[in-house]
């Protein structure tokens, strides 16, 4: 008869072992997000607790209606395989479409939602052991004891199955699995299933949030034919930067010893997707302003109609005028031709206007032609103001409205409660137009006050904009783009270390091969 104190010590030791197992697995499951690794942790804990020689853990694939191998381990056969190393086909949960597959122990465990503890696989009638016998013969192995345990959550949903093989005693002999330990393993399996379902719920929420942000970014990209794909391409460039920084482990780069965490990678990706969120309120006639005179329509057509009308009046006077009048009207007609050609050329905003061009515009604005007591003009005051834009198509008021998008982005994102690990994403998105020299917007931040993530976003945004078609310009070649970026570095607008890193690591070249036209890649 056993000593009561000895029994109590054994029971206490068993309980301590169980508590330690659950404590360890809970710590691992709450920290890890990779589902394959989560399943692996559970299996490792079960193996250690039951002192099993081998084990397999399966994950339920509800969509495919199969059990997928996630991890296979056997110390006697020196096997340790993770999901990517397993080439065995998954086990179907049903045969003939809807008939439960009850031949395999793991599927039997799944369908009956209960554990099975079999002392000797060769001496039982519970499941079809032909596959086990064949495997043992081919591998000169002897499967004896086996246990299958469903990973069942609080709603009786089974997310996986744990299968252990050949329990050992303290001296290494194969024995049956202890029934009391099976109960504890069921607690482990159920506890793990609940924790993993919580992780899955969090992951699904994160996925939904990411998809929501992506859908808004997609909608904004679709708002303008000229900016279509901009957000997606900038986000892609940002991720390329972050990945290259993480992969840089040697050399003289400033980023050799820097590494983004998994959360920080997600954070900068979200920032990239959200950086132009505020453009949702930017008027289309400004966002897509392809000429200086464009509003809802391009007002150059109205200007041409005015010139044509004046021309027709002049021609009438010419036809009925004296020789002197004809000469005067001929001079006006010539002027009208010069004015029209000049305005048509200046309107797209692709060529820089020199001082002499501004003088010509002033002359056109002041031009008046009187006919029967009524004065005719060529351009209005507002048209004149827009035509005075030296380069591009946006006037100062347009620029102010465009720049409001970063403020609106910050205000919109400020109304969303971001999880702690994404809390800086709105800030990075808001600061993508800041410059190191303090001449950026909206806050005019300088140097180290601009986080690295925002600097990456700023450089990515500029590079994409330069190499893409815009309403007011053609897409630039790489050589032209690098010259502009070189000047921006010289003016301390963008991060010189980041720019140099991008050139050294070939980030822009990789992007160019995927997104630019062949004629743009001239380096």
């Amino acid at each position: 008869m056993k000593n009561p104190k000895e029994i109590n010590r054994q029971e206490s030791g068993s309980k301590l072992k169980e508590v330690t197992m659950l404590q360890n697995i809970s710590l691992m499951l709450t920290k890890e997000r990779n589902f394959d690794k989560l399943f692996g942790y559970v299996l490792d804990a079960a193996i250690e607790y039951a002192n099993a020689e081998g084990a397999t853990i399966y994950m339920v694939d509800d969509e495919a209606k199969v059990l997928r191998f996630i991890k296979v381990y056997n110390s006697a056969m020196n096997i340790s395989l993770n999901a990517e190393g397993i080439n065995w086909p998954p086990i179907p949960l049903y045969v003939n479409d809807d008939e439960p597959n009850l031949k395999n122990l793991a599927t039997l465990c799944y369908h009956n939602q209960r554990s099975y503890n079999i002392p000797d696989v060769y001496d039982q009638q519970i499941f079809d052991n032909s596959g086990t016998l064949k495997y043992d013969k081919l591998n000169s192995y002897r499967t004896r004891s086996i246990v299958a345990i469903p990973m069942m959550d609080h709603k009786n949903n089974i997310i996986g199955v744990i299968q252990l093989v050949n329990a050992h005693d303290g001296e290494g002999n194969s024995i049956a699995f202890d029934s009391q330990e099976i109960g504890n393993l069921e607690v482990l399996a159920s506890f793990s299933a609940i924790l993993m379902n919580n992780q899955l719920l969090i992951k699904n929420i994160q996925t939904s949030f990411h998809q929501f942000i992506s859908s808004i970014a997609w909608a904004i990209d679709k708002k303008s034919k000229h900016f279509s794909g901009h957000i997606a391409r900038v986000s892609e460039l940002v991720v390329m930067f972050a990945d290259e920084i993480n992969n840089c482990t040697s050399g003289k780069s400033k980023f050799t010893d820097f590494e983004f965490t998994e959360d920080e990678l997600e954070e900068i990706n979200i920032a990239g997707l959200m950086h132009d969120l505020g453009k949702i309120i930017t008027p289309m006639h400004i966002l897509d302003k392809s000429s200086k005179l464009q509003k809802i329509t391009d007002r150059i057509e109205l200007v041409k109609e005015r010139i044509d009308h004046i021309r027709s009046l002049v021609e009438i006077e010419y036809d009925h005028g004296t020789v002197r009048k004809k000469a005067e009207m001929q001079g006006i007609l010539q002027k009208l031709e010069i004015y029209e050609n000049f305005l048509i050329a200046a309107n797209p905003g692709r060529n820089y206007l020199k001082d002499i061009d501004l003088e010509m515009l002033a002359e056109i604005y002041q031009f008046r032609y009187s006919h029967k007591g009524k004065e005719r003009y060529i351009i209005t005051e507002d048209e004149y103001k827009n035509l005075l834009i030296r380069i591009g198509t946006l006037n100062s008021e347009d620029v102010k409205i465009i720049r409001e998008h970063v403020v609106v982005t910050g205000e919109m994102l400020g109304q969303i409660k971001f999880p702690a690990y994404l809390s800086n994403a709105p800030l990075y998105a808001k600061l993508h137009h800041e410059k190191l020299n303090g001449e950026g917007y909206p806050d005019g931040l300088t140097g180290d006050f601009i986080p690295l993530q925002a600097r990456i976003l700023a450089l990515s945004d500029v590079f994409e904009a330069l190499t893409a078609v815009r309403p007011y310009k053609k897409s630039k070649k790489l050589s032209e783009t690098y010259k502009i970026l070189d000047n921006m570095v010289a003016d301390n607008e963008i991060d010189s270390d980041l720019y140099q890193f991008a050139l050294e690591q070939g980030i822009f070249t990789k992007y160019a091969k995927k997104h630019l036209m062949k004629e743009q890649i001239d380096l």
Side-chain angles (χ1 to χ4, degrees):
M1 183 175 179
K2 289 187 177 181
N3 187 312
K5 290 185 178 180
E6 180 64 27
I7 293 174
N8 287 336
R9 272 198 298 270
Q10 290 177 352
E11 289 179 350
S12 297
S14 177
K15 289 179 180 178
L16 180 61
K17 182 180 178 182
E18 178 187 354
V19 170
T20 301
M21 173 184 66
L22 293 177
Q23 184 182 45
N24 290 340
I25 197 66
S26 66
L27 287 173
M28 288 186 286
L29 293 184
T30 51
K31 290 180 179 179
E32 184 57 61
R33 294 180 186 174
N34 184 295
F35 247 59
D36 288 356
K37 289 183 178 179
L38 288 173
F39 276 98
Y41 289 150
V42 174
L43 190 66
D44 291 342
I47 292 169
E48 182 178 359
Y49 179 78
N51 199 24
E53 182 177 272
T56 302
I57 192 164
Y58 307 89
M59 182 175 70
V60 176
D61 186 334
D62 290 315
E63 187 174 341
K65 297 181 179 180
V66 296
L67 290 178
R68 297 195 181 278
F69 290 89
I70 298 299
K71 186 169 183 177
V72 176
Y73 172 82
N74 193 294
S75 59
M77 300 180 68
N78 197 27
I79 293 175
S80 182
L81 298 174
N82 293 320
E84 61 272 12
I86 300 172
N87 55 16
W88 301 325
I91 303 172
L93 290 170
Y94 298 90
V95 292
N96 301 325
D97 293 331
D98 58 357
E99 183 181 341
N101 176 15
L102 302 178
K103 291 185 176 182
N104 185 282
L105 181 60
T107 57
L108 188 68
C109 171
Y110 170 85
H111 287 295
N112 292 337
Q113 295 189 324
R114 52 155 292 193
S115 298
Y116 287 89
N117 184 7
I118 301 173
D120 192 339
V121 174
Y122 286 19
D123 185 19
Q124 53 84 35
Q125 302 297 320
I126 297 175
F127 74 100
D128 182 358
N129 65 0
S130 59
T132 305
L133 295 175
K134 183 179 179 181
Y135 180 86
D136 284 0
K137 186 176 181 180
L138 286 172
N139 294 280
S140 301
Y141 186 69
R142 174 63 162 96
T143 304
R144 295 186 183 277
S145 56
I146 190 169
V147 62
I149 304 165
M151 296 180 68
M152 189 184 304
D153 66 15
H154 60 295
K155 292 185 177 180
N156 293 328
N157 297 315
I158 297 177
I159 67 169
V161 174
I162 300 171
Q163 190 167 286
L164 303 175
V165 173
N166 291 352
H168 286 172
D169 60 17
E171 298 178 357
N173 301 311
S174 293
I175 58 173
F177 286 93
D178 186 280
S179 58
Q180 183 178 341
E181 288 189 347
I182 298 302
N184 293 338
L185 287 170
E186 287 175 338
V187 173
L188 166 70
S190 178
F191 180 67
S192 300
I194 293 170
L195 284 178
M196 291 170 72
N197 262 354
N198 288 340
Q199 287 280 58
L200 182 60
L201 177 61
I202 292 171
K203 184 178 181 180
N204 288 341
I205 292 172
Q206 292 170 344
T207 300
S208 296
F209 176 74
H210 195 283
Q211 290 172 341
F212 174 68
I213 293 296
S214 297
S215 67
I216 295 176
W218 175 85
I220 294 171
D221 266 349
K222 288 295 181 182
K223 181 180 178 181
S224 165
K225 63 181 180 180
H226 295 106
F227 288 85
S228 180
H230 166 73
I231 294 176
R233 289 190 294 272
V234 169
S235 182
E236 182 180 340
L237 251 179
V238 164
V239 172
M240 288 173 67
F241 263 103
D243 287 341
E244 287 294 340
I245 287 174
N246 277 8
N247 292 333
C248 181
T249 57
S250 60
K252 297 180 181 180
S253 171
K254 176 182 176 181
F255 307 105
T256 301
D257 298 323
F258 187 93
E259 185 175 3
F260 290 108
T261 65
E262 186 177 336
D263 286 347
E264 288 171 335
L265 288 173
E266 177 67 6
E267 192 173 47
I268 196 171
N269 183 23
I270 290 293
L273 289 171
M274 298 188 304
H275 80 280
D276 272 348
L277 210 58
K279 284 183 178 175
I280 199 168
I281 61 109
T282 305
M284 278 298 299
H285 71 273
I286 293 179
L287 199 60
D288 270 353
K289 192 177 181 185
S290 57
S291 67
K292 297 178 183 180
L293 294 180
Q294 181 174 331
K295 282 199 171 178
I296 303 303
T297 59
D298 193 340
R299 290 177 291 168
I300 191 68
E301 298 302 323
L302 292 175
V303 172
K304 288 161 68 177
E305 285 180 10
R306 291 187 202 119
I307 293 175
D308 284 341
H309 181 60
I310 295 171
R311 184 182 287 121
S312 66
L313 295 175
V314 172
E315 288 173 346
I316 291 173
E317 285 206 49
Y318 178 89
D319 291 340
H320 297 87
T322 63
V323 174
R324 184 175 179 180
K325 193 68 173 177
K326 286 180 183 292
E328 181 186 347
M329 294 301 105
Q330 184 63 39
I332 294 175
L333 288 173
Q334 290 174 352
K335 273 190 176 183
L336 290 174
E337 184 74 18
I338 293 171
Y339 291 166
E340 184 174 27
N341 290 335
F342 177 85
L343 292 172
I344 291 173
N347 186 43
R350 289 175 182 156
N351 298 316
Y352 182 82
L353 294 186
K354 301 174 184 178
D355 290 344
I356 192 173
D357 298 320
L358 300 184
E359 291 173 6
M360 171 66 82
L361 277 173
E363 180 181 323
I364 295 172
Y365 175 59
Q366 292 165 7
F367 175 87
R368 295 292 184 272
Y369 177 74
S370 297
H371 181 74
K372 293 183 178 180
K374 185 176 181 181
E375 280 195 337
R376 268 75 177 183
Y377 58 86
I378 294 177
I379 55 176
T380 66
E381 183 179 354
D382 182 71
E383 290 164 349
Y384 175 53
K385 182 180 71 175
N386 279 274
L387 288 165
L388 284 174
I389 301 168
R390 285 195 183 256
I391 188 71
T393 62
L394 302 178
N395 60 41
S396 58
E397 292 176 5
D398 295 333
V399 171
K400 184 178 179 181
I401 293 172
I402 284 281
R403 288 187 172 188
E404 284 179 359
H405 82 273
V406 291
V407 177
V408 174
T409 295
E411 291 174 348
M412 288 177 66
L413 298 178
Q415 299 179 49
I416 301 174
K417 179 64 176 178
F418 282 84
Y421 76 100
L422 292 178
S423 60
N424 289 318
L427 176 65
Y428 304 150
K430 177 186 175 184
L431 301 182
H432 74 278
H433 281 298
E434 296 289 354
K435 298 178 180 179
L436 298 183
N437 59 13
E439 295 180 3
Y441 61 93
D443 298 327
L445 299 181
T446 59
D448 293 338
F449 290 102
I450 306 173
L452 173 62
Q453 290 87 336
R455 300 183 191 202
I456 292 174
L457 186 47
L459 179 53
S460 300
D461 187 64
V462 170
F463 181 84
E464 195 284 333
L466 290 172
T467 55
V469 176
R470 288 293 182 264
Y472 49 85
K473 73 171 188 68
K474 296 179 181 179
S475 56
K476 295 190 178 298
K477 298 178 180 180
L478 281 181
S479 58
E480 297 172 314
T481 301
Y482 290 154
K483 285 180 182 178
I484 294 172
L485 292 175
D486 287 340
N487 290 333
M488 293 182 73
V489 167
D491 291 338
N492 196 30
E493 294 183 2
I494 58 175
D495 191 311
S496 60
D497 292 319
L498 267 179
Y499 176 51
Q500 192 60 39
F501 179 79
L503 296 177
E504 292 171 354
Q505 302 301 319
I507 295 174
F508 293 145
T509 303
K510 293 172 188 175
Y511 173 90
K513 289 179 179 178
K514 184 175 180 181
H515 293 290
L516 303 191
M517 295 178 289
K518 287 184 178 180
E519 53 267 31
Q520 286 181 268
I521 307 174
D522 59 343
L523 292 175

